[in-house]
Structures are given as structure tokens and as C-alpha cells.
Amino acid sequence: MIRLRQPADLERCVAVLRAVHKADGYPLNWPAEPIRWLAPETELCSWVATGADGEVLGHVAVHREAELSRLFVVPAARRRALAGRLVGAVREWAAANGRTLTLNVPEDERRTGAVAFYEATGWRHTHTTVADWTGPDGRPVRLRHYAIRPDR
């Protein structure tokens, strides 16, 4: 089930995020304050994917000016179309609010699956920039930026 994230979900989301970070290196840098990273002041809306028993299996949020962010699914629940359904919730929200969605993905060998997922589901690469933060190795991070109209 996909539903709006509740404050009580945040601790469970952090546990899922920790499993994703261990498996995939996402986020690239582990946040000093994971709950604040998941629910920053710039957040407009967020959703979770839950299992039959209510456990949190995935998460997505919309930040700032309709930027899809913080999308992740616990490794044990992958290949169930949860990421696609979470992105679908964001696209429905954007359509209802007349927003064009954006997102960015670090450009490195560990993100090829994310890039393939977004490009296969209609996201258009618009440009690449260098982030104002560095990766765990201290080197600059290149970001691939994407956009999609919500009705696509």
C-alpha cells in the first residue's frame, strides 16, 4: 500500500534507509541527522510503501519546487514495482498541483540502475552540474538533472 507518510513512520524509514545505504550507498553520504534529512523544512509532501503488516518498505518525498527526492525501497522488497508506485503517487500529486517534476541523481557507477529506471519511465535528462557538496571520498559529485510533466 502507498500512503502519506506520518510522523510515526520516520524511525522506521530511517531503519529502511540504513539498509539501503548499506546495500547501495544511498544516500551517498550518511546524514548526521537522518530524520531531519528525511523530513526537511523544504518538504512539500511524502509517502511510504507499506507491507501487509504495516512495515515500511519504501519512501519518497517532494521537496522545494516539486523536486522528487528521497526515493528508496528496502532491498528485500525490490522487484515488486514499489518504486514505480511511489513515483506514481508523486506524479499524481504534481498533476493535481499543476507542477512539473524534477529530480537529480549522482552520476557514478552505483546509480546506473536509478538512471535506467528514470529514463525508462519518461524522465528527460536536462543537464548535468557539479553539486555544492562532496562524496564520501571528498571529491566533487556530478549530478544528472531530470524533468517530467506530471501527465506523462
Side-chain angles (χ1 to χ4, degrees):
M1 176 169 94
I2 306 299
R3 63 170 173 76
L4 290 172
R5 188 190 72 213
Q6 302 298 314
D9 295 324
L10 284 167
E11 289 291 339
R12 290 178 286 179
C13 289
V14 169
V16 171
L17 182 64
R18 190 172 302 281
V20 170
H21 180 72
K22 184 176 181 179
D24 305 325
Y26 176 83
L28 201 56
N29 299 309
W30 183 255
E33 299 178 63
I35 288 178
R36 190 170 178 196
W37 185 84
L38 281 171
E41 291 178 12
T42 58
E43 183 178 283
L44 301 175
C45 201
S46 58
W47 297 262
V48 291
T50 60
D53 61 358
E55 73 179 301
V56 172
L57 302 174
H59 178 274
V60 69
V62 177
H63 293 175
R64 292 183 210 84
E65 297 296 318
E67 176 187 27
L68 184 144
S69 191
R70 313 305 195 244
L71 173 63
F72 54 90
V73 173
V74 70
R78 292 185 182 159
R79 304 277 183 221
R80 297 185 200 169
L82 292 178
R85 290 178 30 221
L86 285 162
V87 171
V90 173
R91 290 174 72 169
E92 286 177 23
W93 175 90
N97 289 281
R99 305 282 189 101
T100 295
L101 292 167
T102 64
L103 64 85
N104 64 64
V105 179
E107 188 175 75
D108 68 16
E109 66 281 351
R110 293 188 83 176
R111 312 298 160 223
T112 57
V115 166
F117 169 76
Y118 291 123
E119 291 180 356
T121 55
W123 294 81
R124 182 177 47 84
H125 177 245
T126 59
H127 63 289
T128 301
T129 62
V130 176
D132 60 359
W133 45 275
T134 61
D137 60 4
R139 294 194 310 212
V141 175
R142 292 178 50 84
L143 297 173
R144 294 179 59 85
H145 296 264
Y146 289 85
I148 193 167
R149 287 190 9 232
D151 58 344
R152 294 213 54 202

